[in-house]
């Protein structure tokens, strides 16, 4: 049996075209907010079906900038899930606002209208649903609550609901192009997207020190731009995204066909969502024993967010008003199995065979 890595991806097929694109950017010598960034912003906005894309330095800055562009200020409350990567809540705290953690549905790993509603107060100024692991949180139901919705779409580039892409569903959305994400770059990169002209203009100013004209500085902002070289790379990789996601979905279907459900609870898409399986995360009562047994058989597996964000030391200032039983269950039982654009049917049956003899 050959080993099966947890992340079965590579950019090898794109190396030549990436090098050409980088050479073009080097020869252009416009390294800050040059033509590659402008072109990528247009191409990504068109891909998502939104009016504006603002390229920033990473997905964490994207969240902070988008929250401020939506009008969130120091002291405001922002509802976020606790079962997510730390950055979702970190960005809220970084702008002086207060993260209020809401629960998730353990079947989908995403927030629901009911879990968000439970955490709302008159002080809530935004909600940040996370499209976790490539699923799509139920944004239309959240928009009915009357609070601005910022989608954290870092893990869900290319996911969709009907004809609408994740990232085009809320008042604004953020993306990360960290190398492990579904749409990667070759280092750090991120974006804020929105249909709102005002929000886009504020995000553009915030990424450049709070200035629109580089002469007058109207707020304390950030130095946070998408890098020109990364934008050149992203223009090569964006056209691959749909085919890559199709391969991830095919691998997910293969897991089900091979009978994974006999051994662990498979991931479930939110109703109507086209999941893009950033990670393929199952649930099991003894996930760490399972991971150890898989490791002996050469199969990569890993539990995510075992300590949910609300229990991280960095969040100790924020005593949470609601209980989070779904979050605790997800944190305790989840296990990511191998996934990626290069995961073959043979790999998948190998993983399921490795699960079979376990208790
Ligand atoms: C990766 C990620 C981020 C942060 O993105 P960076 O580019 O690493 O700053 C934020 N939220 C979620 C859900 C993520 O997965």
């Amino acid at each position: 049996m050959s080993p099966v890595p947890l992340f079965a991806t590579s950019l090898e097929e794109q190396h030549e075209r990436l090098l050409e694109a980088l050479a073009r950017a080097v020869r252009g010598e416009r390294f800050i907010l040059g033509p590659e960034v402008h072109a990528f912003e247009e191409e990504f906005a068109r891909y998502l079906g939104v009016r504006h894309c603002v390229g920033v330095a990473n997905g964490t800055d994207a969240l902070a900038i988008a929250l401020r562009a939506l009008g969130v200020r120091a002291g405001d409350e922002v509802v976020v899930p606790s079962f997510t990567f730390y950055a979702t809540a970190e960005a809220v705290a970084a702008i002086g606002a207060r993260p209020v953690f809401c629960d998730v549905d353990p079947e989908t790993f995403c927030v629901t209208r009911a879990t968000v509603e439970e955490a709302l107060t008159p002080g809530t100024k935004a909600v940040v649903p996370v499209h976790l692991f490539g699923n799509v949180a139920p944004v239309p139901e959240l928009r009915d609550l009357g609070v601005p919705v910022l989608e954290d779409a870092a893990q869900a580039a290319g996911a969709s609901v009907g004809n609408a892409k994740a990232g085009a569903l809320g008042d604004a959305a953020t993306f990360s192009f960290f190398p492990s994400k579904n749409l990667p770059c070759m280092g750090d990169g991120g974006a804020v997207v929105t249909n709102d002209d005002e929000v886009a203009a504020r995000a553009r100013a915030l990424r450049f020190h709070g200035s629109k004209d580089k002469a007058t500085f109207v707020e304390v902002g950030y130095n946070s731009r998408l890098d020109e070289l990364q934008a050149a790379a992203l223009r090569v990789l964006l056209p691959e995204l749909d085919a890559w996601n199709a391969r991830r979905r095919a691998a997910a279907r293969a897991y089900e066909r091979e009978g994974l459900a006999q051994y662990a609870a498979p991931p479930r898409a939110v109703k109507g969502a086209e999941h893009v399986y950033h990670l393929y995360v199952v649930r099991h009562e003894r996930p760490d024993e399972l991971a150890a047994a898989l490791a002996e058989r050469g199969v990569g597996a890993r539990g995510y967010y075992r300590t949910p964000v609300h229990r991280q030391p960095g969040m100790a200032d924020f005593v949470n008003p609601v209980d989070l039983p779904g979050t605790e269950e997800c944190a305790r039982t989840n296990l990511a199995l191998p996934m990626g654009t290069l995961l073959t049917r043979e790999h998948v049956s190998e993983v399921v065979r490795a699960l079979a003899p376990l208790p």
Side-chain angles (χ1 to χ4, degrees):
M1 289 207 313
S2 55
V4 188
L6 179 57
F7 292 95
T9 60
S10 164
L11 296 178
E12 198 174 336
E13 274 181 46
Q14 287 76 39
H15 280 179
E16 282 310 315
R17 281 183 299 134
L18 286 169
L19 289 167
E20 279 165 33
L22 291 176
R24 186 177 68 223
V26 168
R27 293 196 185 96
E29 293 200 39
R30 300 260 315 273
F31 293 124
I32 300 293
L33 298 179
E36 301 291 340
V37 170
H38 292 295
F40 173 70
E41 288 179 340
E42 265 180 34
E43 288 159 10
F44 196 43
R46 196 176 323 125
Y47 172 83
L48 295 172
V50 296
R51 284 169 63 83
H52 305 282
C53 169
V54 181
V56 298
N58 56 68
T60 309
D61 284 3
L63 285 161
I65 289 171
L67 286 166
R68 286 184 59 190
L70 286 168
V72 177
R73 307 177 68 112
D76 291 342
E77 289 179 15
V78 177
V79 174
V80 296
S82 172
F83 192 65
T84 178
F85 180 54
Y86 185 70
T88 311
E90 182 186 30
V92 173
I95 67 166
R98 180 185 175 77
V100 174
F101 296 98
C102 72
D103 212 2
V104 292
D105 175 353
E107 297 269 315
T108 65
F109 301 117
C110 286
V111 306
T112 68
R113 182 190 160 113
T115 67
V116 169
E117 216 164 4
E118 200 189 357
L120 288 182
T121 77
T124 309
K125 292 294 150 61
V127 177
V128 187
V130 178
H131 299 318
L132 203 70
F133 303 144
N135 212 346
V136 188
V139 176
E141 293 175 27
L142 303 181
R143 292 192 85 177
D144 290 345
L145 296 170
V147 178
V149 177
L150 173 62
E151 302 166 68
D152 182 343
Q155 300 186 5
S160 56
V161 180
N163 292 327
K165 286 276 195 293
L169 306 167
D171 294 278
T174 60
F175 287 87
S176 164
F177 308 122
F178 184 85
S180 68
K181 309 283 160 132
N182 288 38
L183 176 59
C185 68
M186 301 183 305
D188 281 309
V192 176
V193 304
T194 181
N195 281 314
D196 186 314
D197 299 351
E198 290 286 313
V199 171
R202 279 202 75 194
R204 264 181 216 291
L206 283 167
R207 79 171 165 183
F208 193 93
H209 308 285
S211 177
K212 289 191 168 125
D213 59 3
K214 305 183 186 176
T216 308
F217 297 85
V218 296
E219 19 183 6
V220 174
Y222 304 85
N223 178 1
S224 182
R225 279 97 44 155
L226 178 62
D227 188 86
E228 184 74 357
L229 294 173
Q230 298 302 345
L234 283 162
R235 295 184 67 202
V236 172
L237 301 179
L238 177 59
E240 307 289 339
L241 180 59
D242 285 344
W244 278 341
N245 283 339
R247 290 200 219 163
R248 289 173 180 272
R249 281 201 290 270
R253 284 194 301 274
Y255 272 117
E256 302 237 3
R257 258 199 325 268
E258 295 289 330
L260 173 97
Q262 295 167 260
Y263 311 112
R268 218 191 68 203
V270 171
K271 197 161 176 289
E274 270 285 11
H275 202 307
V276 290
Y277 302 98
H278 169 59
L279 293 168
Y280 189 80
V281 183
V282 302
R283 285 178 302 138
H284 190 271
E285 276 306 309
R286 283 165 298 146
D288 295 327
E289 279 174 50
L290 201 58
L294 287 170
E296 275 177 31
R297 294 164 170 80
V299 174
R302 180 174 142 195
Y304 273 79
Y305 319 134
R306 284 278 184 258
T307 303
V309 181
H310 74 286
R311 290 201 278 106
Q312 292 291 348
M315 292 288 133
D317 286 349
F318 307 110
V319 177
N320 210 50
V322 294
D323 287 335
L324 305 172
T327 299
E328 298 294 351
E329 184 186 331
C330 293
R332 184 175 60 79
T333 61
N334 85 84
L335 188 69
L337 298 180
M339 176 45 74
T341 56
L342 301 179
L343 198 75
T344 61
R345 278 206 63 168
E346 289 67 39
H347 286 137
V348 169
S349 39
E350 213 166 294
V351 176
V352 177
R353 271 204 309 277
L355 287 168
L358 299 174

